[in-house]
């Protein structure tokens, strides 16, 4: 027989016959956070209800090659939502700038899940200033679960095992070099400083 415990009006249940960790049950109010984690991309292992997730370690700026889709370092995570999840919110933050001094930026970014491009998601960075410097960017995207799957919107019909989410970048050409995870012109100088990206997941009931 499974065990249960009332906590603040919600029921924690034991799904494995009375032994092991208690987990949120079906009485969790819709829209509530079932689990959430966030971390710098520093190689941490983060343990939550659904398992342990190894965060990629990013230790230097990234310069993508031109005219091809390149994974953004630090952005990949293979995630399995807890039972009862209807939306998984993925979030990634870093900096983007032009490389080689005064290079402007033209680059496209896409998000994939399970190797499939979410085609309704489109982000393009365009900066034609002579000295573009760097700018922060945050990618936040919700993946809904249930119903009919839709590759264009990222909806998953079911999601009961690990699926990799990641970001990829496409540099326009070698004349528009991009530098990721970098803060350029730091403290009013031409110095470049490393900016470590961060990643997070929120599972909503």
């Amino acid at each position: 027989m499974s065990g249960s415990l009332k906590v603040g009006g919600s029921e924690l249940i034991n799904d494995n016959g009375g032994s092991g960790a208690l987990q949120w049950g079906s009485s969790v109010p819709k829209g509530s956070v079932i689990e959430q984690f966030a971390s710098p991309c520093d190689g941490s292992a983060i343990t939550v209800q659904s398992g342990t997730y190894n965060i990629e370690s990013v230790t230097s700026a990234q310069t993508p090659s031109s005219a091809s889709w390149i994974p953004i370092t630090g952005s990949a995570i293979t995630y399995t939502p807890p039972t009862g999840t209807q939306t998984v919110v993925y979030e990634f933050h870093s900096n983007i700038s032009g490389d080689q001094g005064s290079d402007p930026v033209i680059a496209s970014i896409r998000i994939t899940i399970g190797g499939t491009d979410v085609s309704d998601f489109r982000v393009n960075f365009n900066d034609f200033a002579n000295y573009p410097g760097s700018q922060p960017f945050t990618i936040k995207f919700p993946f809904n679960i249930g119903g009919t799957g839709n590759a264009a919107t990222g909806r998953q019909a079911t999601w009961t095992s690990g699926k990799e989410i990641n970001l990829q970048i496409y540099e326009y050409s070698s004349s528009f070099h991009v530098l990721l995870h970098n803060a350029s012109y730091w403290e009013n100088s031409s110095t470049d400083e490393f900016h470590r990206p961060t990643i997070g997941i929120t599972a909503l009931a």
Side-chain angles (χ1 to χ4, degrees), residues 60-62 94-98 132-136 179-196:
S60 62
Q62 179 186 10
S94 191
N95 256 29
I96 187 169
S97 66
S134 61
Q135 54 186 308
L179 196 59
L180 295 169
H181 320 322
N182 177 73
S184 59
Y185 298 98
W186 181 250
E187 290 189 332
N188 199 29
S189 71
S190 59
T191 303
D192 286 346
E193 291 290 331
F194 171 59
H195 172 95
R196 190 184 298 273

Side-chain angles (χ1 to χ4, degrees), residues 72-170:
I72 294 179
T73 53
S75 71
I77 189 164
T78 299
Y79 182 66
T80 305
T83 300
T85 300
Q86 70 170 346
T87 303
V88 172
V89 182
Y90 168 91
E91 189 164 353
F92 183 81
H93 175 84
S94 191
N95 256 29
I96 187 169
S97 66
D99 193 16
Q100 297 182 354
S102 61
D103 274 2
V105 172
I106 304 180
S108 302
I109 290 178
R110 70 182 181 186
I111 193 167
T112 70
I113 181 168
T116 299
D117 175 24
V118 180
S119 60
D120 282 357
F121 175 88
R122 291 288 182 267
V123 172
N124 207 64
F125 289 91
N126 298 277
D127 190 338
F128 293 98
N130 289 329
Y131 296 95
S134 61
Q135 54 186 308
F137 73 92
T138 297
I139 303 298
K140 187 173 184 179
F141 192 84
F143 295 93
N144 291 326
I145 304 170
T148 302
N150 187 327
T153 65
R155 177 178 285 274
Q156 306 297 299
T158 60
W159 190 348
T160 57
S161 60
K163 294 187 180 186
E164 184 182 86
I165 304 169
N166 82 347
L167 298 173
Q168 299 173 355
I169 189 167
Y170 190 102

